Amino acid sequence: MLITFFFEFFAVLLCKIIIMKKVAIFASGSGSNAENIINYYKGNKEVSFPLILTNKCDAYIRERAKKLDVPCIVFQKQDMSNGILLKILKDAGIDFIVLAGFLLKVSDEIIAAYPKKIINIHPALLPKFGGKGMYGDRVHEAVVEAGETESGITIHYIDDHYDAGTIIFQTKCKVLPSDKPSDVATKVHALEYANFPRVIGECILRDA
């Protein structure tokens, strides 16, 4: 009986170790979404965020990373295609990648190494208001200028085209005739903070 107990105990322990997923966050800006995600999973035994990567040496995400005690690496655009960034990811044992305000197009090399394992969030209801150059306030300005009555967020896997990967999750908010782009941004940010961390976890654990 004692032997059986210890066998079952270590089997459960081994399973928990095996299913621990390591996620890298890519960010180019302030990193508010990244901070929200990491705090959401603080103490979680199934998902960890051991690495943040940014292409901007002056991005505020670096300060957030220090406060969160998460290593942050600055890389150059060419590192996504010359093997340097991929080696960093593999050496860190990264299983998934989350793009949280990351403005560069991810290279084919990285996409090929992480098929259906790179998750992005877009601040509009794709396929509307997506594509190259459509990010941040540009999106909210376009939504207001088009007279849209709703906006929202789209969480999706990425492929080799801008904002064209398989959609995982969408949710909406109303856009009032009196709304300015900043008003739309506030509503969309609230949707991001409320939904992005949870959806990330669902995708990762579904893959486990």
Side-chain angles (χ1 to χ4, degrees):
M1 290 290 292
L2 189 59
I3 294 174
T4 302
F5 169 78
F6 279 113
F7 178 79
E8 292 177 350
F9 173 79
F10 284 112
V12 171
L13 183 62
L14 182 60
C15 285
K16 288 185 177 181
I17 293 172
I18 290 173
I19 64 173
M20 170 67 80
K21 297 294 184 179
K22 294 183 178 181
V23 186
I25 295 181
F26 284 38
S28 297
S30 75
S32 60
N33 260 316
E35 182 174 12
N36 184 49
I37 293 164
I38 291 171
N39 283 332
Y40 183 91
Y41 284 97
K42 191 171 291 183
N44 190 284
K45 303 300 182 184
E46 297 176 301
V47 181
S48 66
F49 293 83
L51 187 61
I52 294 172
L53 299 113
T54 181
N55 61 306
K56 299 278 191 179
C57 62
D58 59 348
Y60 190 70
I61 183 61
R62 298 184 69 191
E63 292 302 315
R64 292 187 193 271
K66 289 178 184 178
K67 295 176 184 177
L68 293 165
D69 197 27
V70 177
C72 183
I73 295 175
V74 180
F75 66 92
Q76 303 298 316
K77 182 178 180 179
Q78 60 267 26
D79 294 339
M80 286 199 292
S81 301
N82 62 16
I84 291 177
L85 189 54
L86 184 57
K87 185 177 187 304
I88 291 171
L89 294 169
K90 293 300 183 181
D91 286 350
I94 298 300
D95 300 296
F96 275 80
I97 296 170
V98 168
L99 309 182
F102 184 65
L103 302 184
L104 294 181
K105 187 174 183 293
V106 178
S107 69
D108 292 342
E109 178 180 276
I110 303 296
I111 292 173
Y114 290 91
K116 293 287 186 179
K117 295 183 187 298
I118 307 177
I119 303 169
N120 183 48
I121 189 166
H122 185 77
L125 299 171
L126 294 175
K128 289 185 174 181
F129 308 107
K132 186 175 182 179
M134 292 300 289
Y135 59 86
D137 289 340
R138 296 181 183 184
V139 175
H140 308 311
E141 290 166 1
V143 166
V144 171
E145 287 175 7
E148 295 288 314
T149 59
E150 61 184 17
S151 189
I153 60 169
T154 302
I155 299 171
H156 63 99
Y157 294 112
I158 72 161
D159 58 19
D160 56 352
H161 299 285
Y162 281 104
D163 300 325
T166 302
I167 292 175
I168 302 166
F169 174 85
Q170 287 184 314
T171 189
K172 302 175 181 178
C173 61
K174 291 183 179 180
V175 177
L176 303 176
S178 58
D179 278 349
K180 300 176 182 178
S182 59
D183 298 319
V184 178
T186 298
K187 296 177 184 181
V188 169
H189 288 157
L191 293 178
E192 292 175 348
Y193 299 153
N195 293 281
F196 200 16
R198 173 183 55 80
V199 174
I200 289 168
E202 291 173 357
C203 293
I204 292 171
L205 297 178
R206 189 186 307 137
D207 183 77

